[in-house]
Amino acid sequence: MASRATTYLARRSPWFKLLAAGLLLVAALALLLALFPWDWLRGPLNRYVSERTGRHFEITRRLDVDLGRTTRVIADGIVFANPEWARDPYLVKAEGAEVHVRLWPLLRGRIELPRIELRRPELGLQMEPDGRRTWALDRQDKNEPRREPPHVGVLVVDEGSLHFLASGRGADIRADFAIDTRAAPRAGGSAVLPLTFKAQGTWQKAPFAAQGQTGNVLSLGGGQAQQPFPAQIVLTAGGTSLRAEGTVAGLPRLEGADVDFNLQGRNLAELYPLVGVVLPETPRYAVRGRLQKQAQVWSVSRVQGRLGQSDIAGHLSYDRSGAVPLLTGQLQSQALDLDDLAPLVGLPEQRKGRPVQAARRGEQGGRVLPDTPLDVERLKAMNADVRFSAARMVNVRQLPLDRMSGRVRLEGGLLRLDDLDLGVAGGRLAGQLRIDGRNRPADVAMDLDARGLELGRLVPGLRNMNRASVGRIHGDIELQGRGRTVAEMLGSSSGNVALLMGQGRISNLLLEFAGLDGAEVAKFLLGKDQSVPLRCAATAFDVKQGLMTARALVLDTADTVIWGSGTINLATEALDLTFKPRPKDPSILTLRSPLHLTGTLGNPQGSLDMGSLAGRAGLALALGAINPLLALAATIETGPGENADCSAVLREASSSNAASGRAAAATMGGPAAAGAAASTSR
């Protein structure tokens, strides 16, 4: 037995010797690597990196390496130059650096740096419109294949400075940062340290300043840090100020951001160059809410704030994952101040207590249509689908506007205001508006349907007269135009405008003024105004290139028929209308004469037909010379006016839109009017 065991070991001993030798070699190699003077390689490494990148690279004092699956390269003093075209001489200049390198990916030619730590760094980052970036480490030689850039995980800093330049974005930013030692964790802790910073410069060529606090571990690889860290910022840019506090997982793109914010400024439109989101012109605003980011989607929830004197609430989402960013959401207001909408349609911000039209008359000599250019180019910057509503309209002054709601859709430069629903004078004005910013100047089209508007509320300036005016007005507005401003769009528009009214009541005092009936006016001025039955009324205009030509203009009551004709020029805002009253009842002290309405929309002027009036006045003077009582004979009105054919009037006014005309006639004029409208459509 013993001899066989001896023979087996003798036969197997070479393998044991080889294994022992291998183990000794590995141990010796490990000991060699552990004790290897890595600083000997500093010079060759400096030359190798400089040659491969085409930039000066130098570890200035000492090099050390800690081997492992993820190897740590420790450099004491480091400088890495920028390309020759960059403004700053160095990409990185630091007191020290520690770079973590994964070894296995190196075998596939992939450089993975999960962590880079810098002590007291000075960073010079620059990006050019042609795509050049100072942190792109390959030489970009046209004769060499483009290499994949290193993949960097996180950057850890303690204190230092940063200079960022991006001429294509109008950016020139300088920042200083340092560890807040008062809140630093105990030695050996691995938590993210609080990093305070101050920055100033320009973004989109607009000056700004910011300060705040974040973490010293900055995610650079598009991923997130292991734990979101607190972040605070106070920023001012022009008339805009921002305060935000919350958590962020990665700073460069604010990955995983979840912050509460308070934003104030002069005009929401001023945010466009700062954040790239197209927002309307507004008065001063102050809003707060919660801002979150997941991947390429920003969401703002719990929005509460004010635009001018109006409250605002709702939620919004901004998705940058597509070729064109998309804004979606819903906004609502309990009380919307009409003055706060003035900048949206090109009017200047209104001062409280000053009527809108009065302000325009004082500034533009009577012109009332907004003539501030609308920035339609911004319509191409993003797409949108946002619903809005206002439960109550305030400070409407002369406009009988009660509420509003609608849906804003923007796609490829085409703005559509759909599902528009306005509460006007106790009725409803609904329809849609389209502005096509793809053309220059922009094309605009509107299709609005008016139903149930109360006559007494449409003319609030008549005061006592409107209290006795009762009736419902229906109508249609179809216009198409083009221009850079609202004034140009209306001044070039074509289409039709029709307003119809059936049975109701209207102030008799208004009619007597129109007929210049002295006895009746005196009676009502000394006593109480009364109302008379209204049989029908129609106002219809054909519009061509901004010129509104009356197709039907009539008001028929039990006392008077008023026929009208003429034009309204939307391009010049000039009025040229003539009204011919025909009283139906006999009366004395009547100087019946056509009434001319001229001037402008902002400053209308009324005058009488002096020829007709002079004839009656001359007759009165001649008779008065014989007998003063005979002078009254020239003013006696025997009432030649006849009832207007309401069916024909409604049919004529609605002829441009037979379908809506039949509906309006059936609602307002009864079966006879509906039948007349139907026969016309046939």
Side-chain angles (χ1 to χ4, degrees):
M1 277 302 272
S3 63
R4 270 192 294 188
T6 302
T7 303
Y8 178 80
L9 289 174
R11 196 166 52 241
R12 296 295 183 184
S13 61
W15 293 103
F16 285 106
K17 293 178 180 180
L18 184 60
L19 178 60
L23 292 175
L24 288 174
L25 180 61
V26 171
L29 182 60
L31 183 62
L32 176 64
L33 293 176
L35 301 177
F36 185 79
W38 294 100
D39 195 52
W40 289 0
L41 299 180
R42 180 158 51 95
L45 180 62
N46 290 344
R47 291 190 295 271
Y48 175 79
V49 175
S50 298
E51 173 64 25
R52 295 295 292 175
T53 62
R55 313 185 198 176
H56 175 66
F57 174 84
E58 183 179 1
I59 299 173
T60 59
R61 290 189 292 272
R62 187 177 65 86
L63 171 66
D64 197 6
V65 176
D66 184 5
L67 292 174
R69 175 177 292 182
T70 298
T71 297
R72 296 191 304 151
V73 179
I74 304 169
D76 186 12
I78 185 173
V79 293
F80 192 12
N82 264 326
E84 295 181 356
W85 50 265
R87 183 184 302 183
D88 294 313
Y90 297 109
L91 174 65
V92 179
K93 183 179 181 181
E95 289 293 318
E98 181 177 315
V99 181
H100 294 206
V101 183
R102 290 196 175 102
L103 295 182
W104 289 113
L106 286 177
L107 300 178
R108 303 192 301 269
R110 177 183 173 92
I111 302 177
E112 291 188 8
L113 310 176
R115 186 181 181 93
I116 297 178
E117 297 184 15
L118 298 175
R119 298 197 314 273
R120 296 185 178 180
E122 298 177 13
L123 307 176
L125 308 179
Q126 187 169 338
M127 182 170 59
E128 293 297 297
D130 58 9
R132 291 179 296 169
R133 298 167 296 169
T134 57
W135 57 91
L137 300 182
D138 58 321
R139 298 189 63 176
Q140 299 182 357
D141 191 337
K142 295 182 180 179
N143 298 324
E144 295 183 7
R146 188 177 181 88
R147 295 186 296 272
E148 184 179 4
H151 293 257
V152 181
V154 297
L155 172 65
V156 183
V157 296
D158 51 8
E159 61 178 295
S161 62
L162 165 70
H163 185 204
F164 176 72
L165 282 170
S167 58
R169 299 182 181 181
D172 187 348
I173 303 171
R174 294 185 181 273
D176 297 310
F177 47 86
I179 294 292
D180 186 356
T181 56
R182 296 170 301 176
R186 296 178 180 177
S190 58
V192 175
L193 301 179
L195 188 74
T196 61
F197 64 89
K198 290 184 178 181
Q200 62 180 3
T202 60
W203 176 262
Q204 295 293 351
K205 299 182 180 180
F208 82 95
Q211 62 180 4
Q213 181 174 288
T214 181
N216 72 320
V217 180
L218 316 179
S219 174
L220 300 181
Q224 298 182 359
Q226 293 182 352
Q227 294 293 332
F229 50 84
Q232 300 175 359
I233 186 172
V234 178
L235 180 146
T236 58
T240 302
S241 64
L242 169 68
R243 291 179 176 269
E245 182 174 357
T247 59
V248 179
L251 273 186
R253 297 181 180 87
L254 297 180
E255 293 89 349
D258 189 351
V259 298
D260 294 321
F261 70 90
N262 192 317
L263 182 66
Q264 301 182 36
R266 298 175 301 195
N267 187 341
L268 277 176
E270 293 180 356
L271 294 179
Y272 174 69
L274 298 176
V275 299
V277 180
V278 180
L279 295 171
E281 298 280 345
T282 68
R284 295 197 65 86
Y285 65 90
V287 295
R288 65 181 184 273
R290 181 183 183 187
L291 176 67
Q292 296 174 294
K293 184 187 180 188
Q294 295 295 332
Q296 293 295 313
V297 180
W298 293 88
S299 60
V300 182
S301 58
R302 302 192 307 225
V303 174
Q304 295 287 338
R306 303 197 71 82
L307 296 177
Q309 301 299 314
S310 306
D311 69 280
I312 186 172
H315 59 87
L316 293 170
S317 177
Y318 188 64
D319 188 350
R320 297 182 61 93
S321 61
V324 179
L326 173 63
L327 178 69
T328 59
Q330 184 171 350
L331 296 173
Q332 57 267 354
S333 174
Q334 294 300 316
L336 180 62
D337 193 323
L338 187 62
D339 282 351
D340 297 333
L341 297 180
L344 180 62
V345 296
L347 287 172
E349 186 173 349
Q350 300 299 320
R351 289 179 289 178
K352 292 303 169 187
R354 187 183 186 192
V356 176
Q357 290 191 359
R360 299 299 290 175
R361 286 197 295 269
E363 296 167 7
Q364 297 190 3
R367 298 185 69 89
V368 297
L369 298 180
D371 61 356
T372 301
L374 303 177
D375 192 354
V376 296
E377 283 300 312
R378 293 186 179 182
L379 299 182
K380 304 175 184 177
M382 74 174 191
N383 296 331
D385 189 350
V386 178
R387 292 188 177 273
F388 65 91
S389 64
R392 183 169 60 93
M393 303 296 298
V394 299
N395 201 29
V396 295
R397 297 192 176 95
Q398 302 299 317
L399 296 178
L401 187 59
D402 304 320
R403 57 174 176 78
M404 65 183 302
S405 64
R407 179 183 183 186
V408 177
R409 292 197 291 176
L410 176 60
E411 184 175 3
L414 175 61
L415 174 65
R416 291 182 295 178
L417 185 57
D418 294 333
D419 303 331
L420 182 63
D421 189 351
L422 306 178
V424 178
R428 179 171 181 249
L429 182 64
Q432 60 183 3
L433 173 68
R434 186 187 71 178
I435 299 177
D436 193 345
R438 298 171 297 185
N439 301 324
R440 289 191 177 184
D443 291 328
V444 62
M446 67 176 69
D447 186 357
L448 302 176
D449 181 32
R451 291 293 177 265
L453 278 59
E454 296 179 11
L455 174 63
R457 296 185 58 188
L458 279 177
V459 194
L462 296 180
R463 297 184 180 179
N464 291 335
M465 299 180 193
N466 74 61
R467 296 176 184 174
S469 300
V470 180
R472 295 281 181 173
I473 295 179
H474 306 256
D476 295 286
I477 301 174
E478 296 180 6
L479 294 174
Q480 300 85 37
R482 63 185 319 184
R484 299 169 302 167
T485 68
V486 173
E488 288 184 4
M489 292 172 182
L490 291 175
S492 65
S493 63
S494 298
N496 65 85
V497 176
L499 297 176
L500 312 176
M501 180 175 172
Q503 296 179 359
R505 301 190 69 84
I506 192 169
S507 168
N508 200 15
L509 181 56
L510 174 61
L511 298 177
E512 302 303 342
F513 267 122
L516 296 181
D517 191 327
E520 295 295 329
V521 170
K523 181 180 66 176
F524 290 126
L525 288 179
L526 294 175
K528 185 178 180 181
D529 185 20
Q530 297 179 2
S531 63
V532 296
L534 175 69
R535 300 184 66 249
C536 64
T539 300
F541 288 89
D542 291 321
V543 186
K544 185 175 182 181
Q545 295 299 310
L547 184 64
M548 300 177 61
T549 303
R551 183 172 68 246
L553 196 56
V554 64
L555 180 70
D556 184 18
T557 76
D559 288 348
T560 305
V561 178
I562 299 177
W563 297 94
S565 62
T567 61
I568 301 175
N569 194 323
L570 295 177
T572 63
E573 301 190 15
L575 300 175
D576 186 9
L577 297 172
T578 300
F579 299 93
K580 297 179 179 179
R582 294 291 184 265
K584 299 180 182 179
D585 57 336
S587 175
I588 62 173
L589 299 179
T590 297
L591 297 177
R592 177 166 46 86
S593 171
L595 175 67
H596 295 305
L597 185 61
T598 57
T600 65
L601 294 175
N603 189 20
Q605 302 291 331
S607 62
L608 301 176
D609 188 327
M610 300 308 297
S612 174
L613 188 61
R616 284 187 169 243
L619 179 59
L621 290 175
L623 293 175
I626 302 173
N627 186 331
L629 294 179
L630 294 178
L632 296 178
T635 67
I636 295 176
E637 176 61 65
T638 58
E642 298 180 358
N643 291 338
D645 185 349
C646 286
S647 296
V649 169
L650 297 177
R651 182 171 64 248
E652 174 66 18
S654 61
S655 61
S656 63
N657 191 332
S660 62
R662 288 196 303 271
T667 303
M668 299 178 293
S679 64
T680 301
S681 66
R682 290 192 294 269

